[in-house]
Amino acid sequence: MSSDLPELVSIEYPGIVQNLDNMMDTIGGTDKLRKTFEDPASRLEVFPRPNDIHSHPLMGDRVSSNNLLVKCIRRKVTTDEGEVKYVYEAQVMGLISVSYKFESLADFQYLPMERVQDEGSNAGYRSIYNDILPEKPLNSMQIFNKDAPLFLLPTIFSRFDSPIDYYYRDPPVRSDKSNSNIVDPNVIGGSRKPRSILPMCVNWSDEIPTEPHASIFETIKSSLNQQSIMDELKKCFQQKPIWSKNALLHKLKCCSADLKQLLPCVAYYYPNGPFRCQWVRYGFDPKKNKSCKIYQTLDFRVKSAFVKGECSNKITAKRSVFELNPIRKRESLKKTHDKQGSFIDSSLLSARTTSVKDMEKSNTLDEERAIATFVFTPGVLPTYRQVHYQLCDIKVDAVQKLIHSNDDNEPEECHDKDGWCGEGVIDQIRYILSVLTDDMLKKSEQSQESTFYDDADSSEHELSNDEYLSYLTDEIS
């Protein structure tokens, strides 16, 4: 067999093809097919009604194959004796390395139709597609004056298209303080206990625990063999009474699952208040220690205006939309996690860095990404669209001056919003970080249209902390 056979892609089309052009319209044309093929995680979409926006696609999965496309030819041959015979000839046309198979269930289809009856009392249906979406809406004002037909689509269609075995079970028992035997099948998520009732969760208005609850040790017996991590964890809380989970993960270099089990043994958790999402050492009360101001939480969220733009891949969400809609993508979870992380803006890098490409090839970039999960540094975008920072981990001079502006003059009581800071300081800090992040996103968009700066040029575009402070002062004023 010749080794120069063309490499082909096979589509096991879920229908009878009578017109090739109509079949390509259901796929979206050659451009859509090419984009789907270039992304191994994408599934091939076939729309039964390509001109209907309400049509839901049939999904084809990409599979690897080692098949051959064979062309069979039957020739009619007449012998010298006048006898008619058929001669068959096989010719290999190419090698099929990728195939798209439609083996999953089809999604629901909602047709824009209404039931009508004629004079003979025979029921039928009439399409209302043009009434919902008129072809020429501006041709006549009568279109805006007449009533629109009632056509309500579901908010969400099927999330999964693979058949599963459904086992009938009794409805979950909802736990309640007044009556623990209440059964309410209409409560969503009633089988899971809310985190606020767990022993290590302490509301801002509650008394702090001095030691872990006995039930915590019963639930983590399988993780107590991680004694080395436990010892290091205790040392961390002796050095600093309040930690974020991401900071501990970076310092201990341990698995998130192990830390999740061991943390309740040495610290309690604040689900609300100025120390929200922080772990505090047992017996330590940040409401009575004004020095804990630097450990307060700043809930920072990136504005959606830039998230929806072309640079949305620079800062990703912690939970991807593909995880909530697995029909569209396969193996999307790994793909999403691969692109998560901070983007280092070339115009804000130090002079020792040559280019972004060199940084990605080194371990320095991985370290920057890990630090960006809990530390805000000018020039490094936040890892996610929502990050909880401790005030001491915001490396901006303007922010630190705001934090320490009321040193030795803190309020008498720790406020549930601003904590030990002055009134409105948390909102000012959030605004400063928004200005810095927006500026970095703008610069990253501009860098996509031009080449990256060289070492000699990068120092000219680097902004010092003093320049940032002057810039932010002008913005705030």
Side-chain angles (χ1 to χ4, degrees):
M1 184 181 299
S2 177
S3 60
D4 56 352
L5 289 175
E7 189 173 348
L8 306 176
V9 178
S10 171
I11 300 177
E12 298 183 5
Y13 191 78
I16 301 175
V17 179
Q18 297 180 344
N19 187 296
L20 185 59
D21 294 335
N22 293 339
M23 185 272 291
M24 291 301 298
D25 290 340
T26 61
I27 296 177
T30 55
D31 294 338
K32 180 64 177 299
L33 182 60
R34 185 181 298 108
K35 292 180 180 179
T36 303
F37 177 75
E38 291 174 354
D39 186 1
S42 295
R43 308 177 73 189
L44 183 62
E45 300 179 357
V46 172
F47 291 87
R49 306 182 308 281
N51 297 325
D52 185 1
I53 63 173
H54 307 105
S55 176
H56 276 246
L58 286 75
M59 295 294 182
D61 295 315
R62 174 173 177 156
V63 296
S64 301
S65 61
N66 293 317
N67 300 329
L68 298 175
L69 177 63
V70 181
K71 180 180 180 180
C72 297
I73 304 175
R74 188 180 72 169
R75 302 182 185 277
K76 185 178 180 180
V77 179
T78 303
T79 62
D80 297 338
E81 292 79 9
E83 183 180 358
V84 178
K85 292 184 178 180
Y86 291 97
V87 179
Y88 296 90
E89 178 183 350
Q91 182 180 358
V92 179
M93 304 300 296
L95 174 64
I96 301 175
S97 59
V98 175
S99 298
Y100 287 94
K101 297 184 178 182
F102 293 80
E103 298 178 342
S104 57
L105 299 176
D107 203 349
F108 295 100
Q109 302 291 329
Y110 281 77
L111 302 179
M113 305 178 69
E114 67 177 1
R115 188 180 180 88
V116 296
Q117 290 184 345
D118 55 16
E119 297 179 356
S121 299
N122 295 323
Y125 292 90
R126 182 184 69 89
S127 175
I128 58 175
Y129 187 81
N130 293 331
D131 297 335
I132 301 174
L133 297 173
E135 297 180 357
K136 298 180 180 180
L138 301 179
N139 188 26
S140 175
M141 292 300 297
Q142 296 180 356
I143 298 175
F144 299 97
N145 295 329
K146 67 178 183 180
D147 295 335
L150 182 62
F151 184 67
L152 301 178
L153 290 175
T155 304
I156 186 171
F157 286 79
S158 300
R159 290 180 53 194
F160 303 96
D161 57 357
S162 301
I164 59 175
D165 294 330
Y166 185 83
Y167 300 99
Y168 292 93
R169 300 183 179 91
D170 295 332
V173 178
R174 179 188 174 192
S175 60
D176 191 274
K177 293 182 179 180
S178 59
N179 189 356
S180 59
N181 296 323
I182 295 179
V183 178
D184 191 353
N186 298 321
V187 176
I188 300 176
S191 59
R192 175 180 175 179
K193 295 182 179 180
R195 296 189 177 185
S196 59
I197 67 173
L198 297 179
M200 77 286 189
C201 288
V202 179
N203 292 321
W204 179 245
S205 58
D206 297 341
E207 293 292 333
I208 65 167
T210 58
E211 59 183 10
H213 196 272
S215 60
I216 293 179
F217 293 99
E218 296 178 0
T219 57
I220 63 170
K221 289 180 179 179
S222 59
S223 300
L224 288 179
N225 53 354
Q226 304 290 344
Q227 189 61 39
S228 59
I229 301 178
M230 176 68 78
D231 296 338
E232 293 295 328
L233 189 61
K234 291 180 179 179
K235 292 180 181 179
C236 290
F237 279 95
Q238 291 298 328
Q239 298 171 1
K240 191 171 72 171
I242 304 175
W243 285 83
S244 65
K245 184 178 179 181
N246 287 333
L248 289 171
L249 286 174
H250 177 261
K251 184 175 181 60
L252 299 178
K253 308 296 183 183
C254 63
C255 177
S256 177
D258 293 337
L259 190 60
K260 179 181 179 181
Q261 298 292 331
L262 298 177
L263 262 176
C265 297
V266 296
Y268 62 92
Y269 181 83
Y270 269 125
N272 50 30
F275 297 91
R276 174 191 172 195
C277 300
Q278 303 292 340
W279 291 85
V280 186
R281 185 179 67 222
Y282 283 115
F284 185 85
D285 191 357
K287 296 192 292 290
K288 299 180 181 179
N289 293 270
K290 297 182 179 181
S291 60
C292 297
K293 176 173 57 175
I294 59 175
Y295 303 131
Q296 290 181 200
T297 302
L298 177 73
D299 185 356
F300 176 67
R301 308 184 186 189
V302 181
K303 294 180 181 179
S304 60
F306 283 99
V307 170
K308 296 179 181 178
E310 296 179 356
C311 58
S312 60
N313 60 334
K314 302 297 187 304
I315 306 178
T316 58
K318 288 186 178 180
R319 295 173 178 83
S320 172
V321 294
F322 292 137
E323 297 179 38
L324 301 178
N325 187 14
I327 290 182
R328 293 283 179 178
K329 290 273 186 176
R330 291 301 193 204
E331 301 178 357
S332 59
L333 185 61
K334 180 179 182 300
K335 184 179 181 64
T336 303
H337 287 325
D338 287 343
K339 72 178 183 179
Q340 288 179 349
S342 60
F343 180 87
I344 312 300
D345 189 359
S346 61
S347 63
L348 300 176
L349 288 174
S350 58
R352 63 179 175 83
T353 305
T354 57
S355 66
V356 175
K357 185 179 295 185
D358 295 334
M359 289 288 291
E360 292 176 345
K361 294 180 180 180
S362 64
N363 295 330
T364 306
L365 184 58
D366 295 334
E367 183 71 11
E368 293 280 1
R369 288 175 176 173
I371 296 176
T373 59
F374 63 96
V375 177
F376 186 93
T377 305
V380 182
L381 285 176
T383 310
Y384 303 109
R385 297 175 189 172
Q386 180 182 8
V387 185
H388 294 98
Y389 297 111
Q390 283 187 326
L391 297 184
C392 60
D393 291 331
I394 302 177
K395 307 303 181 182
V396 181
D397 289 347
V399 172
Q400 294 301 321
K401 288 187 176 181
L402 283 174
I403 296 172
H404 298 283
S405 60
N406 67 336
D407 284 353
D408 300 328
N409 193 25
E410 289 87 353
E412 295 297 330
E413 295 184 0
C414 189
H415 194 266
D416 58 353
K417 179 182 177 182
D418 294 319
W420 295 112
C421 295
E423 184 178 358
V425 168
I426 297 297
D427 293 335
Q428 295 181 36
I429 296 174
R430 190 176 290 111
Y431 175 77
I432 292 175
L433 298 191
S434 297
V435 172
L436 288 174
T437 304
D438 293 352
D439 185 64
M440 287 187 288
L441 286 172
K442 290 178 182 178
K443 290 182 180 296
S444 64
E445 283 185 337
Q446 296 172 359
S447 64
Q448 292 178 355
E449 301 174 359
S450 60
T451 56
F452 293 113
Y453 297 107
D454 296 330
D455 288 345
D457 298 334
S458 62
S459 59
E460 299 178 1
H461 299 273
E462 184 179 357
L463 297 179
S464 63
N465 285 337
D466 294 337
E467 292 174 330
Y468 267 116
L469 177 59
S470 176
Y471 167 69
L472 292 174
T473 303
D474 296 338
E475 289 288 337
I476 295 174
S477 59

